[in-house]
């Protein structure tokens, strides 16, 4: 198998998404007020996710009933908050929230390989996997301890980053393992961007959450409910 492009960069004997920054101990993005419920007053209308403006809302499919929203602190910040919403009738209800990290350089609307920024956008979530056996994922789960272990050095501090991962459908084929090499838009547009276990600081492009959050997402996200991730800095998300 060719060396995989993971978290937007080519990993070849290097630490996956890690850097040497300090650990974050905050409960969430500073100053971010996340509503518990957000809905539309018009029966049958598609409700808008909290903090998501009209531009990004148009990218969320009408049949989506689960959304993972990554609220980035700032365009150039690697800190964010991940919130799980589930749509009940005509409203989005918050069902989980976790402190998170994104690309160490922040966010971009034009992601490229090695820019160390996470792509802003709305992307489907169709495939999961990890170096540990399936913990009860509702998404198709691709277990391969060798494939994921090869992405970090033996004994590296990031060796557990990929215990559990959920592929973000940015520049990838759906219905294949997260570590699949194919890049439909070309290698220069990056790829291998995942939700995975947090290591306390910024990434190359992935979004990371604590292990408890990953297990909750894996056990909750249901392909029949067409889950998506909506991600970006707050200014882009609210536009």
């Amino acid at each position: 198998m060719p060396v995989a492009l993971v978290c937007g960069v080519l990993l070849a004997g290097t630490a996956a998404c890690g850097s040497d920054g300090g650990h974050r101990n905050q409960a969430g993005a500073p100053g971010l007020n996340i509503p518990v419920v957000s809905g539309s007053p018009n029966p049958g209308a598609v409700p808008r996710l909290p903090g998501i403006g009209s531009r990004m809302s148009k990218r969320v499919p009408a049949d989506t009933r689960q959304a993972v929203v990554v609220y980035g602190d700032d365009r150039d910040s690697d800190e964010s908050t991940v919130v799980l919403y589930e749509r009940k009738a005509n409203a989005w209800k918050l069902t989980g929230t976790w402190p998170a990290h994104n690309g160490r350089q922040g966010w971009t609307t034009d992601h490229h390989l090695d820019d160390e920024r996470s792509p802003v956008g709305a992307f489907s979530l169709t495939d999961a996997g990890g170096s540990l056996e399936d913990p009860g994922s509702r998404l198709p789960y691709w277990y391969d301890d060798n494939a994921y272990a090869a992405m970090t050095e033996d004994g590296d501090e990031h060796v557990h980053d990929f215990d559990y991962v959920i592929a973000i459908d940015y520049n990838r084929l759906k219905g294949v393992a997260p570590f699949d090499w194919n890049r439909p838009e070309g290698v220069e547009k990056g790829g291998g961007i995942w939700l995975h276990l947090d290591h306390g600081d910024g990434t190359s492009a992935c979004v990371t959450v604590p292990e408890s959050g990953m297990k909750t997402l894996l056990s909750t996200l249901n392909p029949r409910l067409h889950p998506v991730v909506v991600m970006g800095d707050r200014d882009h998300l609210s536009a």
Side-chain angles (χ1 to χ4, degrees), residues 23-237:
H23 289 269
R24 183 186 186 201
N25 296 314
Q26 298 167 233
L32 180 59
N33 182 19
I34 304 173
V36 174
V37 178
S38 177
S40 170
N42 301 319
V46 178
R48 186 177 294 181
L49 285 158
I52 306 302
S54 58
R55 183 172 59 190
M56 191 66 72
S57 293
K58 293 176 182 178
R59 300 178 62 176
V60 178
D63 59 358
T64 291
R65 294 296 183 273
Q66 293 178 320
V68 178
V69 182
V70 185
Y71 297 96
D73 285 10
D74 184 79
R75 181 183 181 277
D76 299 321
S77 172
D78 67 358
E79 296 189 341
S80 51
T81 300
V82 165
V83 182
L84 173 61
Y85 291 102
E86 296 189 271
R87 184 177 168 185
K88 307 293 185 182
N90 210 40
W92 289 101
K93 297 185 178 181
L94 186 155
T95 57
T97 180
W98 303 273
H101 288 92
N102 49 266
R104 61 179 62 91
Q105 297 298 323
W107 298 91
T108 179
T109 56
D110 187 22
H111 175 66
H112 284 78
L113 184 67
D114 293 336
D115 66 10
E116 297 192 337
R117 291 180 178 270
S118 297
V120 175
F123 311 100
S124 57
L125 299 171
T126 57
D127 302 283
S131 60
L132 298 183
E133 293 187 6
D134 186 353
S137 175
R138 304 184 76 173
L139 296 172
Y141 190 88
W142 307 80
Y143 161 68
D144 189 327
D145 57 344
N146 290 324
Y148 295 97
M151 297 173 188
T152 56
E153 293 179 328
D154 290 339
D156 187 88
E157 63 178 318
H158 300 286
V159 69
H160 292 293
D161 291 0
F162 308 137
D163 283 356
Y164 304 116
V165 307
I166 298 173
I168 294 172
D169 289 341
Y170 169 87
N171 197 20
R172 71 178 298 269
L173 299 178
K174 300 178 183 179
V176 300
F179 53 78
D180 182 83
W181 173 258
N182 287 287
R183 301 288 178 257
E185 298 179 35
V187 172
E188 288 303 311
K189 290 293 290 181
I193 299 177
W194 303 340
L195 295 164
H196 69 72
L197 267 63
D198 189 58
H199 44 61
D201 48 22
T203 72
S204 294
C206 292
V207 173
T208 64
V209 296
E211 182 177 1
S212 61
M214 284 301 301
K215 287 184 174 180
T216 297
L217 293 175
L218 286 167
S219 65
T220 304
L221 296 177
N222 185 342
R224 294 183 178 181
L225 301 180
H226 310 287
V228 300
V229 59
V230 182
M231 50 195 277
D233 58 279
R234 283 179 284 173
D235 287 344
H236 274 109
L237 291 181

